Amino acid sequence: MDISSIVIAIFILIVDIVVITIDLKHKLIIVGKNKYRIIMPITVIIFIIITALSKEFKIQDIIVLIEILPLAFVGNKCGITEKGLLTNSYIIKWGKIESYSLKEQEDKYILCYKTNVGTKKLCFKNEDKDAVKKYLLGIKELRYSRK
């Protein structure tokens, strides 16, 4: 196993640990819908298939494949936590949200929020509409809300 393979394996292991820690640390109060949740598992499965079909399959490839599997299924959570909004293993704390708005669209309830990075959307089930409204109104760190 050469140095570049060892560095890649260590990097992937660190990313696995960070993502799993974030997901375990931030429990979801209200679960949201992640419209891109299928992209990461498909990408990892395609990578595994291509690597397995290659003619130069080595032991370091097996190690990388084992380490990359958790990335396919962890980190796809999104929703509301106690500390902020969780989207794809990234927490946006309540103080960082400049404004937010809530709207209904067909079978979704959408929370649009603006941070210093830009505007993002988080989707919820229509049944969770009242719970989302009630929880967001109880957050004191939210500076501005429009309805």
Side-chain angles (χ1 to χ4, degrees), residues 1-63:
M1 208 169 174
D2 58 346
I3 297 294
S4 63
S5 297
I6 293 172
V7 170
I8 290 172
I10 290 172
F11 179 74
I12 293 172
L13 188 62
I14 290 170
V15 170
D16 283 344
I17 291 170
V18 168
V19 169
I20 290 170
T21 304
I22 289 172
D23 277 357
L24 291 176
K25 185 178 177 184
H26 300 288
K27 300 293 180 198
L28 292 176
I29 295 170
I30 302 171
V31 178
K33 292 181 181 179
N34 186 353
K35 64 181 179 179
Y36 300 115
R37 69 181 171 265
I38 196 73
I39 291 175
M40 191 60 159
I42 288 175
T43 305
V44 170
I45 290 170
I46 289 172
F47 176 76
I48 290 171
I49 291 170
I50 290 171
T51 305
L53 293 177
S54 73
K55 300 195 188 310
E56 300 172 9
F57 195 69
K58 299 175 185 169
I59 190 75
Q60 62 256 27
D61 294 334
I62 295 172
I63 293 170

Side-chain angles (χ1 to χ4, degrees), residues 72-134:
F73 305 105
V74 178
N76 285 329
K77 291 183 187 177
C78 66
I80 298 176
T81 67
E82 289 180 5
K83 295 183 180 182
L85 299 173
L86 181 71
T87 52
N88 300 329
S89 293
Y90 182 74
I91 190 92
I92 295 123
K93 301 207 181 217
W94 297 120
K96 302 265 184 184
I97 299 173
E98 296 172 4
S99 65
Y100 73 93
S101 64
L102 301 166
K103 61 184 173 182
E104 293 182 52
Q105 253 187 11
E106 299 161 6
D107 62 338
K108 297 184 251 180
Y109 192 61
I110 300 174
L111 167 66
C112 297
Y113 59 94
K114 183 182 179 206
T115 63
N116 59 353
V117 177
T119 304
K120 303 211 180 199
K121 294 180 182 178
L122 187 59
C123 300
F124 296 95
K125 294 178 185 174
N126 231 358
E127 303 94 45
D128 295 334
K129 174 173 64 171
D130 294 329
V132 171
K133 276 185 187 176
K134 183 179 176 184

